Amino acid sequence: MRLQDELPVDHRLGRVYRYGAGVAGLLLLIWGCFGLAGNPGFLDTQGTNVAGMSSNGALGLLSVIFGAILMIGAVIGGNIASWINMVVGLIFFLAGFVGLIALDSSWNHLAFRMANVLFSFAFGLVIATFGMYGRVSGRLPHDNPYWRQRHGGDQREEEEIAGRWHVPAFKTVLKPTVHH
């Protein structure tokens, strides 16, 4: 089994997730621009309030950069957008943990508050889900149109793969005894 064979095929629902990540990137870019407005301190640990979250120059700049990356991924589309969304989602999710650890300390150079931490977790989960759509799922049945599109309708490859990973079940066949 090659990974390339398992990557998602662009289809109608994939566009929904691609555009969703693009819109999320646009909102992040706009939020970052508002965070940079007013000339906040670059590594100020207090930050300024922007739409209910705290921001400083560094967080505003990072938001603009990651928003632009998500929008570029949405324009490119396909598997590249999927990878970009998964990586950015993971980065945001990890940033939530780092922000949680750094709350109310001198290490809080991105001026995170609890609202920022919660946003980072939720945003990371949503963006990663956009990226994983069509990649992370259980085995599709052979009559599924997506399975057929990926495998050309040929069941032999899937049966070969299934044979390598599954122990065949023992079947007992009961034959009626006929007495003459």
Side-chain angles (χ1 to χ4, degrees):
M1 175 170 70
R2 294 183 351 232
L3 179 62
Q4 190 63 25
D5 296 336
E6 299 300 320
L7 294 177
V9 177
D10 279 335
H11 50 80
R12 190 170 35 96
L13 285 177
R15 283 184 253 142
V16 172
Y17 292 97
R18 176 181 164 194
Y19 295 145
V23 168
L26 178 65
L27 293 174
L28 190 61
L29 187 118
I30 292 170
W31 187 84
C33 288
F34 279 119
L36 288 172
N39 206 11
F42 191 73
L43 294 176
D44 181 22
T45 58
Q46 297 303 312
T48 58
N49 190 15
V50 177
M53 292 185 287
S54 180
S55 180
N56 63 10
L59 186 58
L61 181 62
L62 287 172
S63 298
V64 168
I65 290 170
F66 280 105
I69 288 171
L70 285 172
M71 290 175 57
I72 289 169
V75 169
I76 294 171
N79 294 327
I80 293 173
S82 178
W83 278 108
I84 289 172
N85 290 343
M86 286 192 296
V87 169
V88 169
L90 177 65
I91 289 170
F92 266 83
F93 202 74
L94 292 176
F97 283 112
V98 171
L100 189 60
I101 291 169
L103 280 178
D104 296 327
S105 75
S106 62
W107 297 355
N108 193 4
H109 295 293
L110 294 179
F112 264 45
R113 299 289 173 254
M114 188 52 78
N116 297 70
V117 170
L118 294 175
F119 173 80
S120 189
F121 284 141
F123 191 80
L125 184 63
V126 168
I127 295 300
T129 302
F130 288 165
M132 287 186 273
Y133 177 75
R135 286 186 176 214
V136 180
S137 66
R139 296 242 182 244
L140 296 174
H142 299 298
D143 61 345
N144 185 292
Y146 296 124
W147 187 92
R148 286 188 201 153
Q149 188 175 14
R150 288 182 184 171
H151 299 283
D154 187 13
Q155 289 183 339
R156 286 178 287 161
E157 180 184 345
E158 184 69 18
E159 290 169 356
E160 180 183 317
I161 292 168
R164 281 188 239 149
W165 294 99
H166 299 291
V167 176
F170 293 100
K171 295 181 181 179
T172 305
V173 179
L174 298 176
K175 295 181 181 179
T177 307
V178 178
H179 296 283
H180 293 289

